[in-house]
């Protein structure tokens, strides 16, 4: 990821959960908080309720790749956490990508949308 780093520490996740804004759709919950830097930091959370470790890691890799391919559309200076909902384990890549772009659009963190229109 060219413009982003990972959120790794539990305290960073807790800070975003308590101070950030959350929006959701059927497949994802997204927390966003300004971090005061020029880089985004992203974290991905997949509960054990979603599935076994193979399923959870697969979804984590999908979210990370979808974000990586679309990160140039995101505004800079944000801490972003994606929480994967149970419904997401049975969907394909393109549906998950649409869900991620949709929830980012709800948050208004896209500089320009992935379909060429300005937000």
């Amino acid at each position: 990821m060219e413009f982003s780093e990972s959120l790794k520490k539990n305290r960073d996740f807790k800070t975003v959960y308590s101070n950030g804004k959350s929006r959701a759709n059927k497949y994802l919950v997204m927390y966003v908080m300004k971090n005061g830097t020029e880089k985004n930091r992203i974290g991905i959370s997949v509960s054990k309720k979603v599935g076994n470790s193979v399923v959870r890691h697969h979804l984590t890799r999908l979210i990370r790749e979808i974000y990586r391919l679309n990160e140039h559309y995101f505004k800079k200076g944000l801490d972003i956490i994606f929480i994967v909902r149970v419904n997401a384990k049975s969907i394909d890549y393109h549906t998950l990508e649409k869900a991620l772009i949709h929830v980012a659009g709800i948050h208004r963190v896209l500089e320009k949308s992935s379909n060429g229109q300005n937000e």
Side-chain angles (χ1 to χ4, degrees):
M1 291 183 288
E2 186 179 338
F3 307 114
S4 303
E5 300 171 353
S6 292
L7 278 174
K8 293 184 175 110
K9 303 245 184 257
N10 189 27
R11 69 172 176 253
D12 293 337
F13 275 81
K14 285 184 178 180
T15 302
V16 176
Y17 289 145
S18 61
N19 299 327
K21 302 271 189 227
S22 71
R23 300 286 184 270
N25 61 22
K26 188 175 178 181
Y27 303 114
L28 296 170
V29 179
M30 181 174 164
Y31 282 83
V32 175
M33 182 183 89
K34 290 186 180 180
N35 64 17
T37 66
E38 282 299 309
K39 287 195 165 205
N40 287 349
R41 299 190 306 168
I42 71 160
I44 301 168
S45 177
V46 187
S47 168
K48 285 185 178 182
K49 291 178 185 176
V50 174
N52 62 19
S53 66
V54 174
V55 172
R56 295 193 312 269
H57 285 91
H58 175 71
L59 287 167
T60 300
R61 288 191 306 270
L62 282 179
I63 295 287
R64 194 171 302 284
E65 181 66 4
I66 291 166
Y67 177 80
R68 184 185 72 81
L69 293 173
N70 292 290
E71 75 177 322
H72 57 280
Y73 295 117
F74 282 77
K75 294 178 181 175
K76 307 294 180 269
L78 302 172
D79 284 347
I80 302 169
I81 296 177
F82 296 104
I83 301 172
V84 181
R85 289 186 160 173
V86 177
N87 296 340
K89 76 177 176 182
S90 60
I91 63 172
D92 65 342
Y93 174 88
H94 296 291
T95 308
L96 192 58
E97 183 178 32
K98 287 178 187 172
L100 191 144
I101 297 297
H102 173 257
V103 77
I106 293 171
H107 263 295
R108 300 183 190 276
V109 296
L110 299 176
E111 289 180 346
K112 49 192 174 190
S113 72
S114 60
N115 59 13
Q117 300 172 351
N118 286 336
E119 288 291 318

